[in-house]
Amino acid sequence: MNASAHPLHLPKADAPAVSLRDVTRRFSGRSVLGPVSLDFAAGEFVALIGKSGSGKSTLLRAIAGLDDGVEGDGTLTVPADRSVLFQDSRLLPWKSVLQNVVFGLHAADSNARGRQALADVGLSGREDAWPNALSGGEQQRVALARSLVRQPRLLLADEPFGALDALTRIRMHDLLFRLIRQHRPTVLLVTHDVDEAIKLADRVLVIDEGRITLDQPVSLAHPRARHPGFAALRGELLAALGVTDPI
Amino acid sequence: MSDQSHALIATAYSVPFAAIAGVPAQAHPAPPAQGKLPKLAPGRLPTGAILLGPVALVVLWELASLTGWLSPKFLAAPSTAVFTGFELLQSGTLADHFLASAGRAYLGLGIGVAIGLLLALASGLSRIGEASIDGLVQIKRAIPTLALIPLAILWLGIGEGMKVALIASSVFVPIYINTHAALRGIDIRHVELARSVGLTRSAFLREVALPGALPGFFTGLRLAVTTCWTALVVLEQINTSQGIGYLMNRARDYGQTDIIVVGLAIYAVLGLGSDFAVRFWERKTLSYRKALAS
Ligand SMILES: Nc1ncnc2c1ncn2[C@@H]1O[C@H](COP(=O)(O)OP(=O)(O)OP(=O)(O)O)[C@@H](O)[C@H]1O
Ligand SMILES: [Mg+2]
């Protein structure tokens, strides 16, 4: 997309899907990110948690190639077929739900794939509705369909469920978990929610003041919500976030 | 601001509470009817109610003419004007004048809309375009169209070309201003989305920038369809023997106030009709907005 500011190299088959070396970002002289060096394996589900302002979105936007200001001294290797799922659904109000799902998709069978993606998120029959006529949770499901219909090798999600109510959020966790099993993209999920991170991720990263302070693999068996190891891991992650005595 | 609205809500809720508890409501000055919250904004008008003012005016005007208080030399009665209009219509005179005016107005409108749109796109979508165009249009906006008549006559003569050119030059301004503003105000989040799905620049224009600017364009168009008639009255005093403006000016020479009223009525009907047509088109095109209101 922006080849000069964001060099893209397709990784070799055995190479990590995403690779960052000394990536940094400054805003008017103030270092906000890094240097960060990370590798994500193909198909790995990585959750990134951290306090507000710790640099989560900055890191995700750098990987997404949406940030033109990332400095050139580091290297960033990212698959070209990646999707971004934003906190707001970002549907175009003048396009129907189906048109939004296939937005920017150029395939002969776009519409058929779009319909299937909508069916996958439980929105069959709403193809021709206007986005404004959908509830917030439904809109976010359309956004999820839009990011998965491309069958990306890398899915970047920035607090995609942050604006949803608790009940819808639990449903969305199950939905996301089920859908990514189909094509197994590498996933980077930015979240505030420690429980969400433990429930979904193979690996949890904690970021603080632009640096990765904890890189924690999660090996608990699914489903994890009532797993005996859950609470211990939760306490550990919260401690890394500076919360030592949660009530 | 937010403090104020909190206070309003608190008052509104305490009215029914007081009523339920049987507490005298003297703490709340002038509570509205039993248990109802006060309507803070006026309700919607029933359809047609907007006609009250115009109809009352016509009735008063007719009465004033009937009683002789309003002399026909000063202003013809509405009924006389209707009668005269009907006569002119039957003789075919009115249709000729009307078509001549409509031809000028809508040709000017078409050209003006095209120019305004092109300039707005050039200026709204590129920095060099904005740097070179926007300042000029702002200056043009500050100069009344009628002040351009002398120069326009020197350059283009006194024929039809000059008239259409001046109409176009007055029409393109509202189109430009509103379309340009809408293009500049494009939602940055939509731009980011378009980048993230790898849209090309031309696809971005087609699928994001232009649809996003459409509401602004329609606002400009609503202004333009009435603007195109404004300059006409004056322009039709110059070297022509056809057009509503010409008809009205000749009527002034002969003191025929009824024909002047017919001309004014035609302008009013055309202005309202054009506005209605644009709004109808706007509602159809931007039908996705309906979901917001409901
Ligand atoms: N465009 C910008 N200009 C200046 N500073 C910025 C800009 N974007 C982000 N920052 C700064 O970078 C830091 C990290 O921001 P970032 O958005 O990555 O935080 P975050 O971890 O995503 O926070 P949150 O959880 O609140 O979304 C913040 O201190 C923020 O003020
Ligand atoms: Mg953020």
Side-chain angles (χ1 to χ4, degrees):
Chain A
M1 227 177 329
N2 202 316
S4 57
H6 190 77
L8 302 172
H9 314 286
L10 283 178
K12 294 174 213 78
D14 55 340
V18 175
S19 165
L20 283 73
R21 288 289 168 273
D22 298 325
V23 171
T24 57
R25 179 65 162 113
R26 278 169 215 286
F27 286 111
S28 41
R30 186 170 69 99
S31 174
V32 162
L33 183 67
V36 170
S37 298
L38 282 171
D39 286 322
F40 300 161
E44 191 173 30
F45 192 131
V46 182
L48 178 64
I49 58 179
K51 286 182 242 172
S52 185
S54 55
K56 304 184 294 293
S57 297
T58 306
L59 178 58
L60 182 130
R61 290 168 51 81
I63 297 175
L66 289 172
D67 189 347
D68 296 325
V70 178
E71 279 142 46
D73 52 345
T75 60
L76 202 53
T77 311
V78 177
D81 43 351
R82 55 185 183 262
S83 294
V84 185
L85 189 55
F86 300 93
Q87 177 168 9
D88 56 315
S89 58
R90 291 199 193 188
L91 303 179
L92 299 170
W94 50 83
K95 286 180 175 290
S96 72
V97 163
L98 180 61
Q99 286 171 333
N100 265 288
V101 170
V102 299
F103 180 54
L105 182 67
H106 302 289
D109 56 346
S110 293
N111 278 347
R113 276 166 62 180
R115 280 171 206 285
Q116 181 56 47
L118 277 172
D120 288 344
V121 298
L123 285 173
S124 287
R126 306 302 296 273
E127 288 85 356
D128 298 323
W130 294 120
N132 282 333
L134 267 50
S135 75
E138 288 170 336
Q139 292 181 6
Q140 199 59 343
R141 265 143 70 194
V142 176
L144 181 60
R146 179 182 60 203
S147 49
L148 292 179
V149 76
R150 282 141 238 277
Q151 303 183 352
R153 301 247 310 263
L154 173 63
L155 175 66
L156 299 159
D158 193 352
E159 301 192 41
F161 313 130
L164 303 178
D165 64 276
L167 200 61
T168 313
R169 199 177 316 161
I170 293 172
R171 294 226 174 95
M172 290 293 282
H173 292 161
D174 293 343
L175 187 61
L176 177 68
F177 193 73
R178 193 162 48 74
L179 289 179
I180 58 166
R181 301 249 128 172
Q182 294 177 4
H183 300 287
R184 294 212 162 264
T186 307
V187 181
L188 176 62
L189 171 73
V190 165
T191 175
H192 271 122
D193 184 345
V194 175
D195 291 10
E196 178 173 294
I198 302 174
K199 233 169 96 179
L200 295 170
D202 304 322
R203 177 179 171 197
V204 180
L205 301 173
V206 176
I207 186 170
D208 189 32
E209 293 184 359
R211 281 161 206 271
I212 305 296
T213 52
L214 183 70
D215 187 340
Q216 174 71 55
V218 185
S219 48
L220 309 179
H222 289 282
R224 291 173 173 165
R226 281 183 306 277
H227 196 286
F230 194 98
L233 190 53
R234 187 168 183 269
E236 208 173 307
L237 291 174
L238 283 172
L241 290 166
V243 185
T244 40
D245 281 320
I247 50 169
Chain B
M1 181 66 213
S2 75
D3 281 348
Q4 221 169 18
S5 60
H6 274 98
L8 279 176
I9 290 167
T11 319
Y13 276 117
S14 59
V15 173
F17 270 126
I20 291 165
V23 178
Q26 79 263 61
H28 313 287
Q34 282 291 310
K36 280 213 176 151
L37 300 179
K39 269 192 189 164
L40 298 179
R44 283 183 74 92
L45 275 182
T47 35
I50 197 173
L51 290 174
L52 176 68
V55 169
L57 178 71
V58 170
V59 169
L60 281 178
W61 176 5
E62 182 70 39
L63 284 177
S65 303
L66 274 178
T67 55
W69 187 77
L70 199 59
S71 130
K73 282 213 179 73
F74 189 72
L75 188 63
S79 53
T80 321
V82 169
F83 187 71
T84 309
F86 197 66
E87 267 185 354
L88 286 172
L89 207 58
Q90 276 197 325
S91 67
T93 334
L94 195 57
D96 289 345
H97 288 297
F98 174 76
L99 288 178
S101 287
R104 288 174 190 130
Y106 289 125
L107 185 58
L109 177 70
I111 296 173
V113 168
I115 293 176
L117 208 50
L118 283 178
L119 290 181
L121 291 179
S123 162
L125 299 174
S126 78
R127 294 190 335 154
I128 173 89
E130 180 159 39
S132 44
I133 294 170
D134 197 53
L136 288 177
V137 180
Q138 300 298 339
I139 293 171
K140 160 70 185 70
R141 189 163 79 109
I143 303 173
T145 303
L146 299 185
L148 293 173
I149 291 181
L151 261 189
I153 290 181
L154 283 178
W155 291 351
L156 300 169
I158 53 178
E160 291 298 298
M162 176 271 293
K163 299 186 179 70
V164 172
L166 278 179
I167 293 168
S169 91
S170 69
V171 158
F172 92 85
V173 176
I175 297 280
Y176 171 89
I177 300 281
N178 289 285
T179 312
H180 177 244
L183 281 170
R184 299 302 299 177
I186 187 167
D187 193 334
I188 187 73
R189 295 170 312 160
H190 290 161
V191 179
E192 216 173 60
L193 170 70
R195 287 186 68 186
S196 82
V197 301
L199 228 57
T200 61
R201 188 160 166 79
S202 68
F204 171 73
L205 289 186
R206 233 180 17 252
E207 300 192 47
V208 182
L210 296 185
L214 214 50
F217 168 72
F218 273 112
T219 308
L221 191 59
R222 280 183 65 186
L223 292 169
V225 289
T226 39
T227 307
C228 73
W229 290 91
T230 314
L232 208 62
V233 199
V234 180
L235 291 172
E236 286 185 338
Q237 295 177 28
I238 304 165
N239 184 45
T240 179
S241 56
Q242 278 201 315
I244 306 292
Y246 164 75
L247 195 68
M248 288 167 70
N249 277 299
R250 200 188 52 180
R252 182 204 58 204
D253 292 341
Y254 295 111
Q256 297 162 315
T257 53
D258 51 343
I259 294 187
I260 295 181
V261 172
V262 170
L264 290 177
I266 289 177
Y267 281 132
V269 168
L270 273 171
L272 289 176
S274 310
D275 188 58
F276 184 81
V278 173
R279 271 160 64 177
F280 180 74
W281 185 28
E282 181 181 18
R283 253 203 309 280
K284 295 210 90 171
T285 312
L286 306 182
S287 59
Y288 64 82
R289 294 176 140 198
K290 249 193 333 223
L292 265 184
S294 62

